[in-house]
């Protein structure tokens, strides 16, 4: 295959996945990045920045499609931070005093078949 063909296929794939995703993972990961230390057990409480990120996310989780996207992004993001405690994921919105709930997301979580309320 020619280089140009490969590149145009790559662009097609990127723009298609962009159109399918309701929320960009870069945004999701940026918003929850301050939660890393709490998820890894480094701090007893999620930080204010972490809570604000989760609050912002929960404001965008109005549709099933968005919730699935958020879950998928969290799963991908969590896979890159190394060791963490999945049981602390549902603890974040709770400790932040939000009514949102999150499942204990780990690498085996099936985001397409998950029910949670954000
Ligand atoms: C879904 O996500 C998009 C992108 O972040 C956002 O603009 C939209 O308001 C969300 N929809 C709902 C119903 O929350
Ligand atoms: C996953 O989807 C199947 C079929 O729709 C359903 O029967 C099952 O209860 C779902 N599991 C969870 C954990 O939601």
């Amino acid at each position: 295959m020619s280089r140009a063909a490969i590149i145009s296929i790559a662009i097609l794939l990127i723009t298609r996945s962009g159109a399918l995703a309701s929320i960009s993972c870069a945004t999701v990961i940026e918003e929850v990045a301050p939660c890393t230390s709490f998820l890894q057990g480094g701090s007893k409480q999620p930080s204010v920045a972490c809570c604000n990120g989760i609050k912002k996310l929960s404001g965008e989780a109005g549709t099933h499609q968005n919730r699935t996207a958020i879950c998928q992004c969290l799963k991908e993001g969590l896979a890159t931070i190394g060791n963490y405690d999945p049981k602390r994921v549902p603890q974040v919105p709770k400790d932040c005093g939000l009514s949102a709930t999150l499942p204990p997301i780990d690498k085996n979580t099936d985001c397409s078949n998950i029910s949670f309320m954000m």
Side-chain angles (χ1 to χ4, degrees):
M1 217 185 310
S2 80
R3 203 185 158 88
I6 291 170
I7 288 170
S8 58
I9 288 171
I11 289 171
L12 193 76
L13 287 177
I14 288 165
T15 49
R16 266 200 57 198
S17 64
L20 283 176
S22 26
I23 285 182
S24 108
C25 278
T27 309
V28 171
I29 288 165
E30 200 181 300
E31 282 167 355
V32 300
C35 304
T36 307
S37 140
F38 175 73
L39 293 175
Q40 293 181 325
S43 57
K44 282 210 161 62
Q45 288 287 317
S47 64
V48 172
C50 166
C51 289
N52 286 340
I54 294 289
K55 206 182 289 175
K56 229 154 115 201
L57 265 192
S58 71
E60 290 176 338
T63 59
H64 176 73
Q65 194 188 18
N66 274 9
R67 285 196 288 272
T68 305
I70 289 171
C71 171
Q72 195 61 45
C73 292
L74 290 176
K75 187 174 152 184
E76 283 171 20
L78 287 167
T80 67
I81 68 170
N83 285 333
Y84 72 98
D85 182 357
K87 287 196 294 296
R88 285 198 164 214
V89 178
Q91 205 57 47
V92 174
K94 220 182 267 175
D95 285 2
C96 291
L98 302 170
S99 56
T101 60
L102 277 174
I105 298 172
D106 65 25
K107 63 183 189 325
N108 298 317
T109 302
D110 179 3
C111 286
S112 65
N113 193 14
I114 204 164
S115 61
F116 66 97
M117 288 292 303
M118 279 202 84

